[in-house]
Amino acid sequence: MNDPRPVIETQKLTKTYRMGATDVFALRGVDMRINAGDFVALMGASGSGKSTMMHLLGCLDTPTTGRYLLEGRDVGSLSAQERARLRNQRIGFVFQTFNLLPRLTALDNVALPLLYRAAGKQGNAEPASPRKRALVALERVGLAERAGHRPTQLSGGQRQRVAIARALVGDPALILADEPTGNLDSSTGGDIMRLLAELHAEGRTLLLVTHDRAVADQAEYTLHMRDGRLLP
Amino acid sequence: MTFLNVLRTALSGIAANKLRTGLTMLGIIIGVASVIATLALGNGARAAVENSFRFLGSDQIQVSGQFAVEDGEPKPAGKLLSYEDGLTLTDAAPLIDRVEMTVRGSGKVRHGQTTLDMTFTGVDAGALTSMIADGKVQPVGWPAGALLTSEAFLARGRFFSHSEVAAGAQVCVLGYRTADDLFLGDDPIGQTVWINRKPCEVIGVIAELETVDEQERTRAKPNDAFYLPVSTAVQSLFENEPWVEITAHVTDEARMDEAKTQIAAHLRTRHGIEQGSDGKWLDDFRLTTKKDILGVQQDAARTFSVLLTALAVVSLVVGGFGIMNVMLVSVTERTREIGVRMAVGARQQDVVLQFLLEAALLSLAGGLVGILVGILSIPLAASLNAGLALLDPASIPVALLVALATGIIFGLYPALRAARLDPIEALRYE
């Protein structure tokens, strides 16, 4: 990684919501650059625009004005379907509330993103089956022996590990973690942060959204947001 | 997402709420079961009519009198059909090449010291053949499926010849029990019986008969018959004017309507029938062809079908709204799941497909149970409809398709609603 390659590049990104009769300016022109292999924390009080930023970066939403390049591709010009494909293949989400599907086993939860990939459409050589790849991802987070358990049979820390395995399984360009330790006690939260640090050490690009300074300090560097702007 | 995975997802969605699923399917089950049962009723009625009017050949026109019921007694509306009406028909109606006539009347018959009240039937020489063609009665113990002959229908003697019918000969043929009652075991052939003080020679005895339909056997009395040549019967034997029924054979089946017009014109002249104020003829007779009967039945079946279809549609719509309701509840309950699926890359069409398939499976399962319930209810439907209900095999795929279509139509709106959810809102949903 001598020549840093940007995974994320935003230029004058704005987002305006209409709430009743008033416009809410959630983002007021954000220029952000995150390079491949970075482990970045994005901090800010609630209402600072960090959640909106995460939704835009995660291709769940589109900016009002400005440009967002994900690996050089302009996301703003993509259709909903193409954004769904980007989410599926280039982005891994980790949520505060884990968001595992209760009726699926840990293994099926991890395999879920792979099931939404158009099977064989690229005409590539047959990749390993979704369940095999899911098991590899579960092994990576140390939960292979819990593959058959449902979320309710797992502890909070284990659930978040399953969620991280789900984020990893598609080999994304960017892992977006939104308060990943917010629902965990400090010891379990520490385990999760160590796991994220390990992933960073393996060369993954991570963006950690948090309002907790102690958590943010474990990232390589921290970006601060206030009133819809990135602080210098 | 492969179809198999969508199917698995949809199935697990259904299995998660068994009671709710079962209740939702109830509407579809009732709808589909009523489709099956009602088609069976229509099918059974159709088969029965075709069976019972087998005897009326497609070249025949049945001419019968019109009757009005007064004080519980049938009274002729106008003039009765007479023997002469029939005899003159072949000359007056060029399309009719021959007629068969039957009259019925009652009176007393005496032999020696024995006198019996009797219903006499005046017939043509071909009556025995007609009875065989009718197929309603057979000699007692006749093996099923074996070919019937005129000889098999006669216990002794012979039936009327054409010349006897033409001449009005004083001869008669007795039913099996009539012969037994009058002659008490003696041989009746060549003996004389007295009808209204007129002598009549017994020339034959019909074999002991039973109805082919076993359920009819307690009611029908085929052996109490007394046959005379129709000419003899109308000319001299009856005190009251008897009721004549005429069966006309048409030379050309393609010109049945024309033949009917010819018959009607002839009878209107003979009976002096006038047109009513609305221009309609005030006929005292009725002309019936096989096509008429089938047409009436088909009309009835069509009315029946329309009614039953309406019933089925109502229950399916109710069932469909049940499915729509349960799917809307399911979409709401699983808002977060939908958000997660979208976050990991589900496209709108993936979500639509998932919920549509779930609705389709729900209705299809209801359809399968409904078909089973429908088939099991056929005996019940038959008992309410004089035994007339027959499973129509074509109704099974029809019912399945109808159920599937119901699920897809009523599942579409909830599925689209799920697909249109904003993933951000959905992920936040508590």
Side-chain angles (χ1 to χ4, degrees):
Chain A
M1 301 280 167
N2 302 333
D3 180 23
R5 179 169 51 87
V7 171
I8 285 172
E9 209 177 352
T10 70
Q11 295 159 358
K12 298 192 177 61
L13 211 58
T14 73
K15 183 72 190 180
T16 311
Y17 297 106
R18 190 138 191 105
M19 260 190 150
T22 55
D23 285 335
V24 177
F25 300 96
L27 295 179
R28 299 162 184 263
V30 177
D31 295 312
M32 184 189 277
R33 185 186 158 109
I34 294 171
N35 289 327
D38 283 358
F39 182 9
V40 188
L42 183 61
M43 278 197 74
S46 65
S48 63
K50 64 182 193 316
S51 290
T52 305
M53 196 62 198
M54 201 197 82
H55 293 146
L56 288 180
L57 296 180
C59 301
L60 289 167
D61 207 350
T62 49
T64 308
T65 65
R67 269 156 55 93
Y68 166 32
L69 304 176
L70 176 64
E71 297 181 299
R73 276 178 83 181
D74 189 349
V75 175
S77 64
L78 298 180
S79 69
Q81 207 179 115
E82 287 166 316
R83 281 189 282 120
R85 216 173 104 186
L86 273 188
R87 289 199 296 274
N88 182 242
Q89 304 194 341
R90 304 315 296 152
I91 292 168
F93 285 99
V94 179
F95 302 96
Q96 179 176 357
T97 52
F98 323 132
N99 277 337
L100 299 175
L101 301 191
R103 282 183 284 111
L104 301 187
T105 62
L107 188 72
D108 285 334
N109 263 293
V110 174
L112 193 63
L114 301 177
L115 299 183
Y116 284 111
R117 293 199 171 174
K121 257 190 187 160
Q122 282 87 354
N124 293 343
E126 183 71 15
S129 82
R131 300 183 128 238
K132 263 188 200 141
R133 290 176 68 181
L135 196 60
V136 171
L138 271 181
E139 256 163 31
R140 176 62 197 85
V141 300
L143 278 178
E145 76 280 5
R146 300 287 167 118
H149 288 56
R150 284 174 206 281
T152 48
Q153 299 165 310
L154 299 172
S155 71
Q158 287 172 331
R159 286 186 214 180
Q160 194 59 300
R161 281 167 186 274
V162 172
I164 290 170
R166 181 178 66 191
L168 276 177
V169 76
D171 196 19
L174 174 70
I175 293 175
L176 282 172
D178 183 10
E179 302 280 9
T181 60
N183 276 22
L184 301 172
D185 62 59
S186 58
S187 142
T188 321
D191 290 343
I192 294 297
M193 286 314 295
R194 266 189 293 284
L195 176 57
L196 293 179
E198 278 172 37
L199 295 176
H200 169 235
E202 289 165 16
R204 303 252 171 216
T205 311
L206 292 103
L207 179 68
L208 177 67
V209 178
T210 182
H211 64 273
D212 185 341
R213 173 158 300 281
V215 169
D217 282 348
Q218 299 181 52
E220 266 185 311
Y221 62 92
T222 305
L223 299 171
H224 292 273
M225 283 194 79
R226 185 183 296 158
D227 296 332
R229 289 195 177 85
L230 214 52
L231 298 183
Chain B
M1 206 172 193
T2 63
F3 185 74
L4 204 69
N5 279 315
V6 182
L7 198 67
R8 259 184 44 191
T9 307
L11 273 176
S12 73
I14 290 170
N17 270 304
K18 290 187 187 70
L19 179 65
R20 197 167 75 191
T21 306
L23 288 174
T24 305
M25 289 193 307
L26 217 53
I28 299 284
I29 291 172
I30 293 169
V32 166
S34 66
V35 167
I36 295 279
T38 52
L39 285 178
L41 282 178
N43 194 34
R46 200 155 32 243
V49 164
E50 269 168 34
N51 198 31
S52 57
F53 287 98
R54 238 176 352 161
F55 66 92
L56 190 61
S58 54
D59 69 328
Q60 296 174 11
I61 298 173
Q62 202 167 41
V63 187
S64 44
Q66 293 264 37
F67 290 92
V69 177
E70 269 174 41
D71 305 328
E73 293 275 318
K75 292 262 162 52
K79 284 192 177 173
L80 284 169
L81 285 171
S82 67
Y83 185 60
E84 280 72 28
D85 286 343
L87 283 184
T88 50
L89 193 57
T90 40
D91 291 335
L95 278 169
I96 307 300
D97 66 349
R98 82 193 154 85
V99 295
E100 284 165 20
M101 282 185 279
T102 307
V103 300
R104 280 189 180 78
S106 48
K108 288 188 193 308
V109 58
R110 184 179 66 81
H111 170 73
Q113 302 301 312
T114 317
T115 303
L116 296 175
D117 286 317
M118 190 59 60
T119 299
F120 304 101
T121 311
V123 295
D124 276 300
L128 219 48
T129 322
S130 300
M131 208 191 292
I132 294 169
D134 190 346
K136 279 185 177 161
V137 291
Q138 64 186 13
V140 169
W142 192 257
L147 201 66
L148 286 166
T149 59
S150 306
E151 286 73 34
F153 267 74
L154 280 168
R156 320 184 69 111
R158 59 178 180 85
F159 207 68
F160 311 124
S161 69
H162 283 285
S163 55
E164 279 165 342
V165 173
Q170 303 283 91
V171 290
C172 60
V173 174
L174 308 183
Y176 194 82
R177 259 202 54 199
T178 310
D180 229 25
D181 290 347
L182 276 176
F183 292 95
L184 309 164
D186 295 343
D187 184 3
I189 304 295
Q191 303 263 26
T192 299
V193 295
W194 294 84
I195 307 165
N196 299 343
R197 295 194 196 128
K198 292 200 171 70
C200 195
E201 186 192 345
V202 179
I203 60 166
V205 177
I206 304 286
E208 189 177 6
L209 301 178
E210 63 186 6
T211 57
V212 175
D213 184 347
E214 289 182 29
Q215 291 175 350
E216 292 272 308
R217 281 181 194 170
T218 48
R219 271 191 290 144
K221 293 190 165 67
N223 296 310
D224 288 347
F226 194 111
Y227 295 104
L228 297 161
V230 61
S231 47
T232 317
V234 296
Q235 276 167 20
S236 50
L237 294 181
F238 295 132
E239 288 156 359
N240 304 318
E241 200 179 1
W243 303 356
V244 181
E245 279 190 11
I246 303 169
T247 304
H249 291 255
V250 178
T251 51
D252 183 358
E253 279 182 38
R255 298 168 72 185
M256 291 296 271
D257 288 336
E258 226 177 305
K260 276 165 91 174
T261 311
Q262 288 177 359
I263 297 171
H266 172 64
L267 292 177
R268 281 167 190 156
T269 313
R270 283 185 59 87
H271 292 195
I273 288 165
E274 293 171 354
Q275 277 169 297
S277 54
D278 57 352
K280 267 186 160 177
W281 290 95
L282 303 168
D283 288 339
D284 57 5
F285 56 89
R286 212 170 37 188
L287 304 177
T288 312
T289 63
K290 185 169 200 156
K291 222 172 106 191
D292 293 337
I293 295 169
L294 290 180
V296 167
Q297 164 58 22
Q298 272 158 7
D299 283 349
R302 216 166 289 133
T303 313
F304 201 45
S305 299
V306 166
L307 274 172
L308 298 175
T309 307
L311 183 80
V313 164
V314 167
S315 27
L316 284 169
V317 165
V318 170
F321 277 114
I323 284 189
M324 190 190 271
N325 183 46
V326 85
M327 291 308 296
L328 284 173
V329 170
S330 174
V331 167
T332 306
E333 277 179 357
R334 287 151 72 191
T335 299
R336 222 184 157 92
E337 172 188 331
I338 296 163
V340 172
R341 287 181 182 275
M342 285 174 160
V344 302
R347 297 161 303 170
Q348 288 194 327
Q349 60 256 49
D350 292 321
V351 177
V352 170
L353 197 64
Q354 178 189 335
F355 283 94
L356 212 51
L357 203 67
E358 213 172 294
L361 282 176
L362 208 60
S363 61
L364 211 54
L368 283 173
V369 176
I371 286 171
L372 205 68
V373 172
I375 290 174
L376 291 177
S377 72
I378 286 178
L380 182 73
S383 71
L384 297 172
N385 191 37
L388 299 179
L390 197 63
L391 176 66
D392 183 354
S395 64
I396 291 175
V398 166
L400 274 182
L401 270 178
V402 164
L404 191 63
T406 307
I408 288 174
I409 290 167
F410 286 90
L412 196 60
Y413 173 67
L416 288 175
R417 233 170 101 132
R420 285 187 192 137
L421 285 173
D422 175 9
I424 299 168
E425 296 294 322
L427 281 167
R428 278 196 197 128
Y429 187 84
E430 295 297 331

